Amino acid sequence: MRQLPFKETSFDVVLCADNSLTHLLSGQDLRAALLGMRRVLRDDGLLVITVRAYDETRQTRPTATPPQVSETRDGQVITFQLWHWHEDGERYDLEHFQLTPAENTWHVRCRRSTYWALTPPQLTEFVAEAGFTNITWHSPASSGYYQPVLTAHRAPSAQ
């Protein structure tokens, strides 16, 4: 995301979905990604970002998610997450566990990642700083998507 391999003004829309932006852990990296997204958008192009709602999460600092059971063609799968918060209270290491049945036992898969729990005001500030306008937040109730959605436009270049 920090070095998009596309020509300037290549796209009408840039979509950054499913909390991917929060894998960038510093202001410098976040700025580079947003400036790159702005660079590849055409004048008045649309930026769409979906992120987890971290307002309450940063206050409560949960340490785990409840286990979820889902049915797959191979049987039941159980998933849950463990969250290990950093001292700054803004970042956390996540361990995502997936348990699948395997002959009288369970196969356990664990994936790890680190996230920056950006609040909407923080992300709004970064997006505005990168030169976007008409920044609007859409709730899951209004958008139909399970995460909050930020939309913004690349301001037309001066002629």
Side-chain angles (χ1 to χ4, degrees), residues 33-134:
L34 290 167
L35 287 170
M37 292 175 201
R38 185 180 185 284
R39 179 185 63 78
V40 300
L41 274 172
R42 294 186 178 109
D43 285 350
D44 204 36
L46 179 65
L47 173 67
V48 180
I49 298 174
T50 72
V51 292
R52 182 185 295 256
Y54 281 113
D55 300 66
E56 186 179 318
T57 305
R58 285 217 348 219
Q59 294 174 8
T60 61
R61 293 190 193 168
T63 57
T65 61
Q68 295 181 326
V69 179
S70 57
E71 289 290 334
T72 70
R73 60 186 162 96
D74 299 323
Q76 289 186 331
V77 175
I78 302 170
T79 59
F80 63 94
Q81 299 174 358
L82 300 180
W83 294 20
H84 309 281
W85 287 89
H86 294 201
E87 285 185 28
D88 68 6
E90 291 191 4
R91 290 161 187 81
Y92 62 96
D93 299 321
L94 179 139
E95 293 178 290
H96 180 268
F97 290 90
Q98 186 175 45
L99 288 71
T100 54
E103 293 186 33
N104 300 329
T105 188
W106 292 90
H107 173 73
V108 179
R109 179 178 178 195
C110 180
R111 291 173 279 184
R112 293 177 174 87
S113 190
T114 302
Y115 290 86
W116 183 2
L118 289 164
T119 63
Q122 284 178 302
L123 185 52
T124 298
E125 187 175 324
F126 279 108
V127 170
E129 182 184 300
F132 289 93
T133 61
N134 302 324

Side-chain angles (χ1 to χ4, degrees), residues 2 17 20 34 53 57 149:
R2 295 177 302 254
S20 60
L34 290 167
T57 305
V149 177

